Amino acid sequence: MRRLDGGTLVIASHNEGKLREFHELLEPFGIAVRSVGEFGLVGPAETSSTFIGNARIKAHFAARETGAPALSDDSGIAIDALDGAPGVHTADWAATSDGRDFTKAMERVNQLLERRDAPRPRTARFRCALCLAWPDGHDEIFEGTVDGQVVWPMRGDLGFGFDPVFLPDGETDTFGEMDPQRKRRMSHRARAFAMLVTGCVA
């Protein structure tokens, strides 16, 4: 497994929540983080049907265009009663003409679950695939998952995305209610990131 030897790491995302989370996760290792936005890059189309495939597309694009190692994340929520949706289309469900609106996306999820009369608990999981790519085309892949259920109404405003409706197994707080540091220790992204650190950083 290839090691990441300090320097600059480009985060292949424009999502402020993800950028903040990655900055805080990588800061202890002395790795300088820059976003693709700082390079004026918009990003490629995410055309894969899998989290790993989309993570690879984004990371390799950023590494190739910036000449630096790049880290991308493709993540989302998969709801069993919706046959795994929204899955890789999680962000698309929040798309509007004025940008992403996750409140509307969560309302849509609840409406669909009610329409199907889905039994409770409405099991779901957050999934994350991380791709660390180098300009020469090499990459390393790491996956993390956290199981739980979708709840309604929305609870909390501390997270982002679908956090206010996701209650992890064994917890009484949704990701939207949790202290951010506590969430980071147990999130799907944190679990994937821990594998990345073990394999490529620490």
Side-chain angles (χ1 to χ4, degrees):
M1 191 166 286
R2 185 180 291 186
R3 311 289 292 178
L4 184 64
D5 298 320
T8 297
L9 179 65
V10 177
I11 306 299
S13 176
H14 293 273
N15 183 302
E16 290 299 325
K18 289 181 182 181
L19 291 170
R20 185 166 56 251
E21 196 167 328
F22 278 127
H23 173 75
E24 292 170 358
L25 288 167
L26 288 161
E27 190 175 28
F29 301 99
I31 296 172
V33 170
R34 298 184 66 185
S35 75
V36 285
E38 295 180 56
F39 293 88
L41 300 174
V42 175
E46 298 174 34
T47 55
S48 176
S49 61
T50 68
F51 290 110
I52 290 176
N54 284 326
R56 276 196 161 117
I57 288 170
K58 291 183 284 188
H60 283 284
F61 170 82
R64 185 172 62 250
E65 294 296 316
T66 65
L71 176 65
S72 72
D73 137 280
D74 199 58
S75 56
I77 188 169
I79 302 168
D80 292 328
L82 299 182
D83 305 314
V88 295
H89 302 294
T90 294
D92 296 335
W93 279 38
T96 72
S97 58
D98 298 318
R100 290 177 179 170
D101 186 335
F102 278 97
T103 296
K104 287 186 177 178
M106 288 183 281
E107 289 171 345
R108 177 184 176 190
V109 162
N110 184 61
Q111 289 166 1
L112 288 171
L113 289 170
E114 289 297 309
R115 198 175 301 155
R116 293 191 179 193
D117 197 21
R120 290 178 171 82
R122 291 168 169 174
T123 54
R125 63 206 44 80
F126 266 122
R127 295 179 57 197
C128 171
L130 295 180
C131 177
L132 178 59
W134 282 262
D136 66 1
H138 181 83
D139 69 28
E140 301 287 354
I141 298 291
F142 307 90
E143 293 184 90
T145 302
V146 59
D147 293 316
Q149 61 180 287
V150 171
V151 297
W152 194 261
M154 295 174 273
R155 291 163 39 188
D157 56 6
L158 296 177
F160 57 92
F162 280 81
D163 285 354
V165 296
F166 184 76
L167 180 66
D169 285 347
E171 299 293 330
T172 57
D173 292 335
T174 68
F175 271 172
E177 295 172 303
M178 276 187 193
D179 174 83
Q181 290 190 357
R182 182 177 167 215
K183 176 201 164 185
R184 278 192 289 274
R185 288 194 295 269
M186 63 179 298
S187 76
H188 50 306
R189 194 167 295 110
R191 291 177 180 182
F193 185 80
M195 298 176 201
L196 181 150
V197 168
T198 298
C200 300
V201 179

